[in-house]
Amino acid sequence: MSNEQLDQLREKLDQVNLEILELINKRAELVKETGQVKEKQGANRSYDPVRERDMLNLIKQHNNGPFEDSTIIHLFKEIFKAGLELQEDDHSKALLVSRKKKPEDTVIDINGVKFGDGNQHFIFGPCSVESYEQVAEVAAAIKKEGFKVIRGGGI
């Protein structure tokens, strides 16, 4: 294959990429409009597995290759996921303890410690550790300073 042929194919690929981008953005606008209509109707804008299955079945029926159905399904699930994120409220990504998400009198209880109760609390610990011993050493130092140690995963 000559360099000229390769360049022509790459130009065509670039054009197709831009067409796909345009269609994905067009789809995103339709998803946003759908979310707005659902909101006006008071309908739930959350994930609908039946609707997703129906869309994926339609896509599979029209997939003439060369990609396997599983590859196409994977790609479209990512597109669907991105679309759902467009429909989420602006506050959906706020921290649970954020005053933007909850009223000022919100108190959250984590392992018996109340956050938001008007008392000052400190949250700290090793962000990256090399061993269990290092975690134990940091916890012991924190406890020695009179702070309560809460262990566990995320909320």
Side-chain angles (χ1 to χ4, degrees):
M1 177 177 288
S2 69
N3 283 342
E4 186 177 323
Q5 281 180 306
L6 186 59
D7 289 343
Q8 288 175 353
L9 288 172
R10 286 179 173 164
E11 283 179 34
K12 287 180 181 179
L13 283 171
D14 288 344
Q15 188 58 44
V16 169
N17 287 340
L18 294 176
E19 290 172 21
I20 291 170
L21 175 63
E22 183 179 340
L23 289 172
I24 287 174
N25 284 328
K26 184 176 180 178
R27 185 186 191 286
E29 290 300 324
L30 290 169
V31 166
K32 287 170 63 174
E33 286 180 45
T34 302
Q36 291 167 354
V37 169
K38 286 179 180 180
E39 186 173 21
K40 286 178 185 173
Q41 294 176 347
N44 190 348
R45 297 189 302 171
S46 65
Y47 171 70
D48 182 350
V50 174
R51 173 70 177 137
E52 180 177 289
R53 184 189 64 226
D54 291 344
M55 289 188 296
L56 291 173
N57 285 338
L58 179 65
I59 291 165
K60 282 195 302 190
Q61 289 171 2
H62 290 86
N63 180 26
N64 297 320
F67 287 115
E68 296 288 329
D69 284 349
S70 61
T71 301
I72 295 298
I73 297 304
H74 173 75
L75 292 171
F76 272 91
K77 280 186 174 186
E78 288 300 313
I79 292 169
F80 297 166
K81 179 179 163 188
L84 280 173
E85 291 173 1
L86 285 176
Q87 288 188 351
E88 291 179 355
D89 293 335
D90 290 338
H91 300 293
S92 65
K93 294 182 182 177
L95 292 173
L96 289 176
V97 295
S98 170
R99 294 297 181 209
K100 293 177 185 175
K101 177 72 175 165
K102 298 194 179 249
E104 287 189 21
D105 62 349
T106 299
V107 177
I108 297 175
D109 186 303
I110 302 173
N111 294 337
V113 177
K114 296 188 181 338
F115 292 87
D117 62 355
N119 294 315
Q120 188 175 28
H121 299 280
F122 297 95
I123 302 173
F124 48 88
C127 295
S128 174
V129 296
E130 306 223 356
S131 67
Y132 174 79
E133 289 77 19
Q134 188 179 19
V135 173
E137 186 177 330
V138 170
I142 292 168
K143 196 169 186 177
K144 182 179 175 186
E145 294 297 321
F147 295 105
K148 183 172 183 177
V149 177
I150 302 174
R151 297 178 189 252
I155 300 171

